[in-house]
Amino acid sequence: MKKEIVCVTGGGGFLASWVVKYLLVEGFIVHATVRDPSDEKYGHLNNFENALENLHLFKADLLDYNSLFAAVEGCRGVFHVASPVPSAPVANPKVELIEPALIGTRNVLKACTEAKVKRVVVVSSIAAVMLNPNWPKGKPMNELCWSEKEYCKTSENWYCLSKTESESEAWEYAKKKGLNLVTVCPALIIGPMLQSTVNASSLILVKILKDGAEIMVNKDHRIVDVRDVARAVLLAYEKWEAEGRYICSAYMAKTQDLIDKLKTMYPKDNYPKKITEADDQPKLNCEKMLKLGWKHRTLEESLADSVKCYQEKGILD
């Protein structure tokens, strides 16, 4: 069993909770940053296997360097997962999204440099890859692709801008300071939740299952299971040959495909009645992640486990 110390930022979140869980199972000592360790919404973390001995919760804020350094100090590796993900339109994108993502990443990486961390894995997003209006139609996108910042601004896609700004900042900082950095760019993350509150990406499925919307747009969704992303993040840390960016996406499915599959698992009357068509989006090339040894489960399993989780938590009542 490893007794290596690592830090996970935003430890109580949807993806980060699974990262913490898997690290503890593998025998790591985990420093997890949360807003308030005494808050019961982080109680699930203390129920994980080996948590009693090996999990330490640190009160930290992305904008407070000293609180982050306290959590990172003494760690061999750091998983920077924390980043604001809006579940509704934001009133002030700069304050609510861009600054926490950008300054938070800067603070985490500075703490990693000061603490002499051996490897940092930053969780970015395909939001930092895909927003490029000039990309040739039909050509798959890979890790060399970046969202265009100016287009993110003009189209007011503030989440994409926040992820693009923060990941590009991470690479600039790492090159300047010689920091061993790997980034993972997951697609839309679904799957069972360990935390008590519904996260933004899970709301996509919850809306289809529960809201009974009359009209939905039949757009492309690039999808990956939260458990598979957590495994990808651990691979990016443990495989020393890992380098650069890694796109992490398992499937592309249209809204209608998701509805059809969900109907077989959760029959009900109020699925969307009308689907309007949307333009096809570029496919993603995930060969680099697969070559690292990554595997993913089926879309049907991810959907079934998501529905089961929502039912157990009373989200669909």
Side-chain angles (χ1 to χ4, degrees), residues 33-50:
T33 73
V34 295
R35 290 177 185 270
D36 180 2
S38 65
D39 192 324
E40 63 181 20
K41 77 175 182 178
Y42 302 119
H44 64 284
L45 298 171
N46 294 312
N47 295 325
F48 293 159
E49 182 181 339
N50 299 324

Side-chain angles (χ1 to χ4, degrees), residues 87-265:
S87 56
V90 293
N92 190 331
K94 184 179 178 182
V95 172
E96 296 176 55
L97 275 178
I98 298 163
E99 285 185 352
L102 190 58
I103 298 171
T105 297
R106 197 177 294 152
N107 282 339
V108 169
L109 296 185
K110 181 184 174 187
C112 291
T113 302
E114 293 296 318
K116 295 180 170 55
V117 167
K118 299 299 182 187
R119 169 161 284 187
V120 185
V121 179
V122 169
V123 176
S124 182
S125 168
I126 62 166
V129 175
M130 300 206 65
L131 213 66
N132 183 341
N134 301 314
W135 190 254
K137 193 170 183 178
K139 183 179 178 182
M141 298 182 112
N142 60 24
E143 284 81 4
L144 297 176
C145 303
W146 282 87
S147 294
E148 290 191 355
K149 294 178 185 178
E150 284 307 312
Y151 182 71
C152 292
K153 291 174 186 174
T154 57
S155 61
E156 298 187 351
N157 196 322
W158 304 119
Y159 176 67
C160 284
L161 180 61
S162 73
K163 299 306 287 188
T164 307
E165 291 273 20
S166 58
E167 191 191 351
S168 57
E169 168 82 8
W171 282 115
E172 286 178 22
Y173 182 95
K175 286 168 185 170
K176 185 168 66 176
K177 297 291 185 179
L179 194 64
N180 187 329
L181 173 70
V182 180
T183 63
V184 177
C185 301
L188 175 71
I189 305 177
I190 65 169
M193 304 182 304
L194 297 171
Q195 83 284 4
S196 57
T197 54
V198 183
N199 54 289
S201 60
S202 294
L203 282 173
I204 303 289
L205 287 185
V206 171
K207 184 175 181 181
I208 294 174
L209 288 161
K210 187 178 180 181
D211 283 6
E214 286 294 318
I215 302 174
M216 288 195 82
V217 179
N218 195 27
K219 61 183 180 181
D220 292 317
H221 300 278
R222 295 154 200 83
I223 297 170
V224 65
D225 191 288
V226 64
R227 296 161 292 185
D228 297 333
V229 182
R231 289 295 184 196
V233 168
L234 265 66
L235 268 177
Y237 176 75
E238 294 180 316
K239 294 268 190 176
W240 211 246
E241 66 268 29
E243 60 177 359
R245 308 171 88 197
Y246 286 87
I247 290 173
C248 185
S249 179
Y251 299 100
M252 188 156 81
K254 287 192 174 291
T255 307
Q256 186 65 64
D257 299 329
L258 295 177
I259 291 171
D260 292 342
K261 289 180 185 297
L262 289 167
K263 276 181 179 177
T264 65
M265 301 172 201

Side-chain angles (χ1 to χ4, degrees), residues 53-66:
E53 305 86 4
N54 291 341
L55 177 63
H56 305 278
L57 300 184
F58 285 75
K59 179 181 174 65
D61 187 303
L62 287 175
L63 302 181
D64 180 355
Y65 170 78
N66 291 330

